[in-house]
Amino acid sequence: MTTDLAAATGRTASAVCLAAALALPLCARAAPPPGPAAEYAYLKSGARVPLFDESAGATPVARVAGEPIELRDLVEALTLAHETRGDQVTQARRDVGALLGRLIDVRLIATEARASGMADLPEVRGAVTAYGESRLKLDVMGKAVAHVQARPAEVERAFRARVREWKVTFALCPKEEDARALVGKAPGPGFEEAVRQAIAGGKAQGIGKPEYLPEAKAFPAVAAALRTLKTGQIGGPVAVTGGFAVVRLHGVRYPEDAAVRAQVAKEIAAPRRRKALEKYQASLVKRYAKVDDKLLKTVDFESPTPGFDALLKDRRVVARIQGEAPLTVADVAEEMKRKLYHGISQAEGRRRLNLRRDQLAQAMVDGRVTLHEARRQGLDRTPEHRRQVKQFEEQLLFNTYLEKSIVPNLTISEQEQRAYYKEHGAEYAVPEFLKLDSLGFSSAAFAQRAFEKLRGGADYRFMATNADGQLPPEQQAIRFTGSTYTAAEFSPQLVNALAGAKAGDYRLYSEGGAHYVIRVNERIAAQQKPFEAVQEAVREALLQRKVGQAIQETSARLRQTYAVEELVARIGE
């Protein structure tokens, strides 16, 4: 049996494009990936240009049919490689030819699509126009609220609260009287010694020495207590899950984290920007639009007469916008039809359509006046806007060419599918599952003692409550609570520790300075999924492979038609 790929996947070429191992989304905008402080693109001409210097962004790194591919395009592709493939970005830097080759493939195929008249297709023209207008609206709104920022003092306060770490000696006592006894110890070396003795005697859990406790990982009640303490003071007992906590504060630190600081600033500024934007848009409506609210209120989308089809032809003007086409009843009806694509007759039993009428009309007026202001400011004539629209059109043409000229000619036989399934069987298997419990301890000796008792027949629930030296839950790097876990999520070290364990077995394991006894309650072996159950996924994988091969073959053919120059030799320090 042979399968038509477009029908088999039920996907458009837009999705196929992204599945074709190119990893080039439409007009990606991102911060540069981490790398050496000074990194350069070395051109074949002998020139060296800074990789992340915006002023060098227009430097040509290749030419296709005389049109340049610029350094900024290569940087964006490199950024995407970092975001989607992590450590493989290092290889991408070394093998810049492969990365540049992908950009050339897109340009070649888009050039051929344009030569074939695909740029004049209504769906392509409409999508490019819509994208350009969307970019203009975003740009003018971003420019209008760019001045709205969080105050530095606010950011600093919120940042410090977010990253705060207390240096504490922490003890968790099952009994309140034992916790109160620790609180009664005078500040000084005696308190730490008392905590260590309580841990050794089974009256408390902890490690008996100061450690840093991030506020985000602390019990809420413990964090509240710590905020009231001065350095050296003891707080508690605080009722928490598992008993009563006692802490002594040794100090506090605020680790610098640029990403967290930026996120905090963004969160603080967000509501202010929304309010400023609402005010700005209202001012644009007042300046450029004249809305006929009286007429709009008379248009009844919920009435069976004259009917929705009649409203789609109603050319009465709801709003006049300076420099733009007027907004008509038909425009609002068409937008409502587009939004409620499952059918107007089914939309909430035709109820609340008039409420949506007002919302849609307002949004359409807002959009048109914003677009008018962007054009008035000349944002549509800026080089960056034109570059973004051109880049969008190029990748859209690439997608369209795939959909119309490549994908329809690709077929996959069932024989090919079964061969691929056999070759990649591990990818279509149900992973191994384990149902586990664990106890975490502050030392290997405590863990060994509990392990021996459990293997000797001690009751697990009794040991979970009474075993000496257990760590509080928030100090355990791993914690199993009887649920079912997939072995695929485990570290190689943990997989090795559990290798060969059967239901009822115990294993010792250490990680991050803590020591664990793990009980295996149930083990479900990995199983191969039947071909019929994964046939669609196999077909999808083969589709991606064949599309990738077709792109390479098409690009090689088009290189005979269109001149290609690769101008960059390598990327490095």
Side-chain angles (χ1 to χ4, degrees):
M1 179 183 71
T2 300
T3 304
D4 178 271
L5 291 185
T9 60
R11 302 190 335 162
T12 65
S14 295
V16 173
C17 168
L18 297 181
L22 290 174
L24 295 170
L26 298 181
C27 300
R29 318 301 304 168
E39 213 168 356
Y40 299 90
Y42 292 84
L43 305 183
K44 292 181 179 179
S45 65
R48 184 186 75 168
V49 293
L51 196 60
F52 301 118
D53 186 342
E54 290 186 7
S55 65
T59 302
V61 294
R63 288 192 180 89
V64 176
E67 287 293 314
I69 294 175
E70 298 177 344
L71 178 63
R72 72 189 89 197
D73 301 322
L74 184 60
V75 169
E76 287 173 3
L78 184 62
T79 298
L80 186 66
H82 168 73
E83 293 177 348
T84 59
R85 297 193 291 278
D87 292 340
Q88 295 181 33
V89 70
T90 302
Q91 178 61 32
R93 278 181 162 88
R94 288 197 296 265
D95 190 14
V96 67
L99 196 60
L100 185 58
R102 293 172 185 169
L103 295 174
I104 291 172
D105 289 344
V106 172
R107 176 65 60 82
L108 279 168
I109 291 175
T111 301
E112 179 68 2
R114 187 176 286 107
S116 301
M118 292 183 183
D120 296 323
L121 293 172
E123 60 269 30
V124 172
R125 290 202 309 269
V128 172
T129 299
Y131 174 80
E133 291 180 351
S134 176
R135 286 296 329 171
L136 285 174
K137 292 174 188 177
L138 290 174
D139 290 345
V140 75
M141 289 188 293
K143 184 179 177 181
V145 298
H147 67 285
V148 182
Q149 303 288 342
R151 291 188 289 273
E154 291 179 295
V155 174
E156 184 63 24
R157 284 195 299 270
F159 170 76
R160 288 167 73 88
R162 185 79 58 90
V163 302
R164 178 164 44 209
E165 295 181 359
W166 290 291
K167 188 175 184 181
V168 300
T169 300
F170 179 91
L172 179 64
C173 301
K175 297 180 180 179
E176 186 175 6
E177 56 265 32
D178 293 331
R180 291 195 177 279
L182 289 176
V183 174
K185 298 292 182 181
F191 176 75
E192 276 67 34
E193 181 59 32
V195 169
R196 286 192 287 269
Q197 291 177 5
I199 293 171
K203 295 182 178 181
Q205 300 172 22
I207 63 174
K209 61 181 181 180
E211 60 182 326
Y212 279 101
L213 174 65
E215 182 168 354
K217 294 186 178 181
F219 288 117
V222 172
L226 283 167
R227 293 189 200 105
T228 68
L229 298 181
K230 295 180 180 179
T231 300
Q233 289 184 325
I234 298 172
V238 177
V240 297
T241 303
F244 298 86
V246 177
V247 291
R248 180 188 177 195
L249 179 62
H250 296 274
V252 63
R253 69 181 182 185
Y254 306 93
E256 182 56 42
D257 188 320
V260 172
R261 186 179 289 277
Q263 181 61 30
V264 167
K266 183 177 178 181
E267 291 172 2
I268 293 174
R272 297 174 187 172
R273 289 193 170 196
R274 283 194 295 271
K275 185 176 293 187
L277 188 57
E278 290 171 2
K279 184 178 180 180
Y280 177 71
Q281 286 188 315
S283 71
L284 293 180
V285 171
K286 184 177 181 180
R287 188 187 315 170
Y288 297 127
K290 185 175 182 180
V291 181
D292 192 339
D293 292 310
K294 185 177 179 180
L295 169 60
L296 187 62
K297 296 298 182 184
T298 67
V299 181
D300 191 352
F301 282 89
E302 298 174 7
S303 173
T305 55
F308 195 83
D309 289 342
L311 295 178
L312 288 169
K313 302 174 183 177
D314 191 334
R315 297 301 172 186
R316 287 180 293 170
V317 176
V318 171
R320 297 188 183 278
I321 294 97
Q322 181 178 325
E324 302 290 328
L327 182 68
T328 67
V329 173
D331 293 330
V332 178
E334 189 64 42
E335 181 70 2
M336 185 175 292
K337 181 180 178 180
R338 187 180 70 83
K339 294 284 188 182
L340 305 179
Y341 54 89
H342 290 302
I344 295 296
S345 61
Q346 300 177 16
E348 303 178 26
R350 294 185 62 89
R351 295 191 302 272
R352 301 182 65 188
L353 291 185
N354 287 338
L355 175 60
R356 291 187 177 229
R357 169 203 67 196
D358 297 342
Q359 294 170 338
L360 286 176
Q362 182 62 56
M364 295 175 77
V365 171
D366 286 348
R368 293 192 182 192
V369 297
T370 303
L371 184 61
H372 175 75
E373 177 63 11
R375 288 170 174 155
R376 189 195 68 80
Q377 293 184 22
L379 299 183
D380 56 330
R381 299 187 295 276
T382 63
E384 179 59 18
H385 175 76
R386 290 176 174 174
R387 188 183 82 87
Q388 289 179 1
V389 173
K390 181 180 178 181
Q391 187 181 53
F392 177 90
E393 181 186 36
E394 180 175 278
Q395 295 189 47
L396 182 59
L397 286 171
F398 173 85
N399 293 350
T400 304
Y401 191 89
L402 290 187
E403 180 181 16
K404 296 185 179 297
S405 300
I406 291 182
V407 173
N409 298 319
L410 299 179
T411 58
I412 296 178
S413 68
E414 184 172 331
Q415 183 179 3
E416 288 179 288
Q417 296 172 39
R418 290 188 178 276
Y420 186 91
Y421 168 76
K422 183 177 181 180
E423 181 183 352
H424 298 82
E427 299 174 17
Y428 303 103
V430 177
E432 181 181 35
F433 288 94
L434 297 97
K435 186 174 288 187
L436 305 172
D437 281 300
S438 67
L439 302 177
F441 296 89
S442 59
S443 72
F446 283 127
Q448 183 68 38
R449 191 181 309 164
F451 175 71
E452 292 172 356
K453 289 182 179 180
L454 288 164
R455 291 188 67 184
D459 181 73
Y460 179 85
R461 286 177 294 182
F462 175 82
M463 293 295 292
T465 304
N466 297 284
D468 295 339
Q470 292 190 65
L471 290 169
E474 70 274 9
Q475 295 181 21
Q476 298 182 31
I478 64 169
R479 190 162 181 258
F480 300 119
T481 57
S483 299
T484 301
Y485 306 88
T486 173
E489 301 173 357
F490 297 163
S491 66
Q493 294 80 8
L494 182 54
V495 170
N496 289 337
L498 296 173
K502 302 182 294 294
D505 286 354
Y506 291 92
R507 288 287 191 268
L508 284 169
Y509 177 69
S510 297
E511 180 180 321
H515 307 271
Y516 303 89
V517 177
I518 301 174
R519 180 175 71 169
V520 179
N521 299 314
E522 186 179 358
R523 189 164 205 149
I524 304 171
Q527 298 179 0
Q528 186 73 24
K529 296 179 182 178
F531 171 75
E532 291 72 20
V534 298
Q535 187 173 6
E536 190 63 33
V538 170
R539 188 183 292 122
E540 173 74 11
L542 279 170
L543 164 67
Q544 294 193 29
R545 173 189 283 185
K546 288 207 168 189
V547 168
Q549 291 171 347
I551 289 171
Q552 293 178 8
E553 293 168 1
T554 303
S555 178
R557 175 175 59 81
L558 293 176
R559 283 173 182 258
Q560 305 303 312
T561 303
Y562 302 104
V564 174
E565 297 178 83
E566 296 186 24
L567 306 177
V568 65
R570 67 182 180 89
I571 289 176
E573 297 181 57

